[in-house]
Every structure is written in structure tokens, then in C-alpha cells.
Amino acid sequence: MSESLAVYPGSFDPVTNGHLDLVERGIRIFNKLIVAVVNNPGKEPLFSLEERIDMLRETTRKYGHAVQVDSFDGLLVDYLVEKKAVAYIRGLRAVSDYEYEFEMAMTNRRLVPEVETVFFAPSEDFTFLRASTVKEVAKLGGNISSFVPPYVEQYLKEKFQKL
Ligand code: PNS
């Protein structure tokens, strides 16, 4: 697979160590990975698009040109075609992820058959990790240092102090 470009789409509200584990796995297989934050005004995220992008840029800086952070509006498949991506990647943590992920993969394939969905098995350390749980633990004052990088931990602390 020479010069292959893949997209890692998601809400990243906020990026967790589980997402970053997937980024590392992605760049082992693809030459370039665009981490694409969905800009979905209908789905009220805790962090703004700009904040989510900033956290991702900071925490993926060490991968240099192999990882780019971007955002997209509208359909994922349209973004994949625009970027000439050969695939997009998703993590399958547990069987409970499967139904939604498979439905999304089949819908996207029907829309654009050329683009592949590639599922990664995350590190077993992160099979339980969800951004929503991290936010809840942070909101209630729990220790989230093993779930997110220090930069994101600081963002969460500041967010919940302000709320
Ligand atoms: O991190 P998430 O919230 O599980 O990511 C979901 C995401 C952003 C990948 C998905 O909602 C998406 O692709 N949204 C863009 C709109 C779209 O293409 N919808 C049809 C997908 S079947």
C-alpha cells in the first residue's frame, strides 16, 4: 500500500488515550492519517470544534506529517472522496460497538463502494474507555489521568470548573 491515505473520523469530545492508541495503529498501516473531527451542530458536544481540534493537534504533534488534524461537515463519504482516502478507520472495542459500526460501514459502502472501512482492535487497556465516561468521571471530580493525556486532562478540569 504505497502512499495510502486513511481518515480517522469521530467526535473526539475529547480525544482519549484510546483514540490515540488507534492513531498509532493507523499510521503503522497507512502512510498518512487524517484525524477528522465531525462538525455536527445538531449533536451538542462538550467542547467546541476548535477546542477538539486543538487537543488533537497537541496530542498528535509527535507523529509529524504522518498525522493531520482536520474537520468535516456533512457526509463522511463525501469527505473521504474529496481527500482521495482509500479507507477510514474505526476502533471496535467490544461486541457492543459492532452493530452500530457495521451499520455505518454498510451504509457508507452503499454510498461509495470504493472506500473501505478498516476496523482496529484497540489495546486491551482501552477496551472499556469512552469519551462520555471520561467526561462524567471528570465532572464528578474523579481521577482521569490514565484515560486522557495531561493536556486534555487540563482542558477537562478547566471546563468543569467553569460550568
Ligand atoms: O466518534 P463518533 O461520534 O462515534 O463518530 C461518528 C461519526 C462522526 C464517524 C459518524 O457520525 C459520521 O460519519 N458522521 C458524519 C455524517 C455521516 O456521514 N453519516 C452517515 C454515516 S452512516
Side-chain angles (χ1 to χ4, degrees):
M1 236 188 282
S2 61
E3 288 312 306
S4 54
L5 167 74
V7 168
Y8 180 16
S11 305
F12 303 105
D13 185 37
V15 57
T16 67
N17 289 338
H19 294 128
L20 294 170
D21 173 69
L22 224 70
V23 167
E24 283 198 10
R25 290 175 199 284
I27 55 174
R28 275 194 218 144
I29 294 186
F30 299 101
N31 299 117
K32 190 166 178 183
L33 190 66
I34 301 179
V35 183
V37 186
V38 67
N39 183 18
N40 181 355
K43 206 180 165 185
E44 279 215 3
L46 175 66
F47 293 103
S48 69
L49 183 64
E50 292 69 28
E51 288 172 320
R52 287 179 283 153
I53 289 174
D54 178 60
M55 285 184 268
L56 274 165
R57 291 224 164 109
E58 183 63 32
T59 54
T60 61
R61 194 188 298 281
K62 57 178 179 266
Y63 304 116
H65 294 304
V67 178
Q68 188 193 326
V69 180
D70 193 15
S71 64
F72 72 102
D73 296 289
L75 279 179
L76 172 62
V77 287
D78 289 341
Y79 180 76
L80 297 171
V81 169
E82 181 197 319
K83 292 292 170 188
K84 298 186 172 61
V86 296
Y88 71 96
I89 70 168
R90 296 282 291 172
L92 273 185
R93 289 166 299 200
V95 179
S96 51
D97 281 342
Y98 185 78
E99 205 172 323
Y100 168 67
E101 293 295 336
F102 193 70
E103 197 180 293
M104 192 162 88
M106 290 304 114
T107 308
N108 287 334
R109 177 177 285 166
R110 186 63 67 87
L111 293 171
V112 178
E114 306 79 59
V115 181
E116 292 297 331
T117 304
V118 176
F119 292 121
F120 283 83
S123 159
E124 64 209 56
D125 296 343
F126 305 123
T127 47
F128 63 92
L129 196 55
R130 261 176 213 288
S132 55
T133 315
V134 174
K135 284 183 278 192
E136 188 173 330
V137 174
K139 190 175 177 180
L140 299 172
N143 183 353
I144 49 164
S145 61
S146 65
F147 304 152
V148 292
Y151 191 75
V152 176
E153 189 180 357
Q154 198 51 41
Y155 249 102
L156 279 160
K157 280 185 181 156
E158 281 168 22
K159 182 67 80 176
F160 287 119
Q161 268 163 19
K162 274 189 218 150
L163 287 181

